[in-house]
Amino acid sequence: IGDAVVAFWSLPFASLEEGALNSCIAALEQQNKIEIFQRKVSEITGIRKEVPKIVVRMGIATGECVVGNIGSNSTKSFTAIGPPTEWAEELETLNKKYNTKILVLEPTVKLVGRKMEFRRIERIEISPNKKAYVFELIGEKGAVPTELINYRDEYERALSYLEGGDAKSAATHFLACKEKNSNDNAVIMHLDNIGVAS
């Protein structure tokens, strides 16, 4: 769709759990291919200086949709329509805010949490009077470097302090995260919300 690609896994081709897992695996594999392609851009284009950075952002959501051949008598396509498609689109855009690449909504995480590693970012409103956590997908279980897992744990510790009303302890841990990764916009956002200069 324009400069975007929409993919979905649904019954009768995949169960709810399989669809959620396949979407995460596909997103990770595509990001890996993009990194490989990035290294070849200079060779392909002949550009040696100021090689453009290729960034592809992704959003993943799971839920009930209308799935089938949808359209008019002259033009139909097999597609999915429903809130999850809108949530996924919103998450794709939210990546710019957090400086992330793959964002996943809470229902998907609950389905695949034993097989994937995530970082909890914050809660957002997905419909009137309904909120859900947004997570960053960081990799498959057992394949994520220990350093990144430790960073995730530090960040989530800070977020838990913040949600518990202990802004001082939250700020201490967020600042520790910022020392390790000054480009983490999620950390910067929370520090700004606490009122700590970032």
Side-chain angles (χ1 to χ4, degrees), residues 3-193:
D3 65 347
V5 174
V6 177
F8 64 95
W9 288 261
S10 73
L11 296 169
F13 309 107
S15 69
L16 196 65
E17 292 79 8
E18 288 171 333
L21 183 60
N22 286 341
S23 62
C24 292
I25 291 171
L28 290 169
E29 287 185 357
Q30 287 183 71
Q31 289 293 345
N32 181 54
K33 298 296 184 187
I34 290 160
E35 287 179 17
I36 293 170
F37 179 66
Q38 178 73 60
R39 293 194 290 269
K40 294 182 177 180
V41 167
S42 180
E43 177 186 330
I44 293 168
T45 63
I47 299 172
R48 298 288 178 256
K49 293 182 180 179
E50 299 181 13
V51 178
K53 177 70 175 171
I54 299 168
V55 178
V56 177
R57 302 176 184 92
M58 303 172 180
I60 300 172
T62 303
E64 290 186 3
C65 288
V66 174
V67 177
N69 291 312
I70 299 170
S72 65
N73 289 333
S74 59
T75 305
K76 288 184 180 179
S77 62
F78 188 80
T79 190
I81 296 177
T85 62
E86 297 165 13
W87 299 335
E89 186 177 350
E90 183 178 343
L91 292 174
E92 186 273 329
T93 303
L94 273 177
N95 279 292
K96 295 179 185 177
K97 175 181 177 182
Y98 304 125
N99 195 24
T100 51
K101 292 180 180 176
I102 309 171
L103 289 178
V104 184
L105 207 55
E106 190 172 355
T108 306
V109 174
K110 288 180 178 178
L111 290 168
V112 301
R114 289 175 296 169
K115 296 184 177 180
M116 295 284 164
E117 294 284 2
F118 297 93
R119 175 174 70 135
R120 189 164 49 101
I121 301 290
E122 70 166 333
R123 289 181 79 199
I124 64 166
E125 189 170 289
I126 58 173
S127 62
N129 302 317
K130 185 177 181 181
K131 290 189 173 184
Y133 274 107
V134 172
F135 292 78
E136 178 186 17
L137 175 58
I138 56 178
E140 293 189 52
K141 288 269 188 189
V144 180
T146 303
E147 184 179 342
L148 186 52
I149 295 295
N150 292 340
Y151 179 85
R152 184 273 311 274
D153 293 344
E154 180 87 32
Y155 172 90
E156 290 194 348
R157 195 173 300 116
L159 189 58
S160 294
Y161 277 123
L162 183 61
E163 291 169 340
D166 187 349
K168 185 177 179 181
S169 295
T172 299
H173 288 283
F174 280 132
L175 286 169
C177 288
K178 188 172 182 292
E179 282 185 22
K180 296 172 185 173
N181 181 5
S182 61
N183 294 320
D184 189 341
N185 285 358
V187 168
I188 294 169
M189 175 192 71
H190 287 304
L191 285 171
D192 288 345
N193 289 341

